[in-house]
Amino acid sequence: MASLYFPIVGACMSQSYPKRTLIKAAAASSSAPPNVDLTPLDSAIAQKDSDAVKEALDQLREAGWAKQWASQPNISRRTTFLRELTTLGIKNAENLAIPSVRNDDWGFFVPYLIGSISLVVLAVGSTNPGLLQAAIGGFSTFFPDYQDRIARHEAAHFLVAYLLGLPILGYSLDIGKENVNLTDKRLEKVIYSGQLDAKELDRLAVVAMAGLAAEGLKYDKVVGQSVDLFTLQRFINRSKPTITKDQQQNLTRWAVLLAASLLKTNTTRHEALMAAMSNKATVLECIEAIEKAA
């Protein structure tokens, strides 16, 4: 199940958006208070301008509306043990981070969370789009609840990214095209250059593991983790300083734990977002669903 998407080519050129006063009459269809204008945010999303999206959300937060946006800015990696995932409610935590498919291009994987780690080197943009097609083709046959799984998985990426202050520009729940688009031009540059620092790596790791964590909290078997793990490995490989295998293992555990904790704390928001995404809501409508959920 494809999940986290950082487009590397074809990114939109940045637009220059002046500072705006957000205390205006809102559109009648909006759930925002009547003195809050969401038009700048809507326009920024339509332009796929991540800087403008962040600026609009920051101003909305200052205006007292986008209270959940970037509400979890201070995260700090720590040593994490497998039993903590079980205590939190993750089912079958020992099997959580085993990619769900085998492909000759990638070889066999061993668990990320326990034992030694055998990792492949992923270059930016090198993931084969056809990698998971065999699994995707039979997905709905083996997992009749696949629509709920996909919505739960992708909504987790969306919500956790929003809470951590990463702007969302789009998403898809279509089989074989599942993704949450987190285009960020600044992050693209540091990923390209292989210069992700520890703080950014931690933040991206938590977002990458959010879908896996959401499935692990609900189901005995997680099936959407493969591309999430490939995505995490890509970020690890583009970070400086290089981290050891033991550190990679701990990063994965910690990221799953923190993502799961955020999802449990924000269960109502996660469920509201799942419903909105399942109904093909716009990104703005999804953000509204997060903000108005109790």
Side-chain angles (χ1 to χ4, degrees), residues 36-59:
V36 174
D37 182 17
L38 300 182
T39 303
L41 175 58
D42 196 26
S43 298
I45 294 169
Q47 292 290 332
K48 297 195 180 300
D49 187 327
S50 60
D51 291 338
V53 170
K54 286 190 287 188
E55 179 181 336
L57 284 167
D58 286 344
Q59 292 185 50

Side-chain angles (χ1 to χ4, degrees), residues 227-273:
V227 172
D228 290 354
L229 293 172
F230 296 151
T231 298
L232 175 59
Q233 185 59 48
R234 167 185 147 193
F235 295 145
I236 289 172
N237 291 340
R238 308 302 286 186
S239 66
K240 295 293 181 182
T242 301
I243 64 175
T244 66
K245 289 184 177 181
D246 286 344
Q247 289 172 328
Q248 291 180 36
Q249 179 179 326
N250 183 67
L251 171 63
T252 308
R253 287 177 177 162
W254 169 79
V256 173
L257 182 69
L258 182 54
S261 297
L262 289 173
L263 292 171
K264 290 194 72 172
T265 302
N266 294 275
T267 299
T268 302
R269 296 185 180 94
H270 187 209
E271 291 175 349
L273 181 57

Side-chain angles (χ1 to χ4, degrees), residues 2 103 105-106 125-134 136 176-178 227:
N103 182 282
D105 291 335
W106 304 98
S126 67
T127 302
N128 178 0
L131 176 63
L132 303 181
Q133 288 307 306
I136 290 167
K177 299 179 182 178
E178 309 94 320
V227 172

Side-chain angles (χ1 to χ4, degrees), residues 56-125:
L57 284 167
D58 286 344
Q59 292 185 50
L60 285 166
R61 182 177 58 188
E62 291 175 5
W65 184 74
K67 296 179 180 179
Q68 301 309 313
W69 163 249
S71 60
Q72 303 292 328
N74 301 314
I75 61 173
S76 180
R77 191 193 318 173
R78 65 168 177 80
T79 301
T80 303
F81 300 96
L82 190 64
R83 65 176 178 272
E84 294 181 77
L85 303 183
T86 302
T87 300
L88 186 64
I90 295 286
K91 304 176 189 299
N92 296 320
E94 67 278 5
N95 296 320
L96 192 64
I98 304 174
S100 56
V101 296
R102 180 207 184 261
N103 182 282
D104 288 337
D105 291 335
W106 304 98
F108 286 103
F109 284 76
V110 297
Y112 271 50
L113 301 187
I114 59 175
S116 60
I117 304 176
S118 176
L119 301 176
V120 297
V121 176
L122 301 181
V124 171

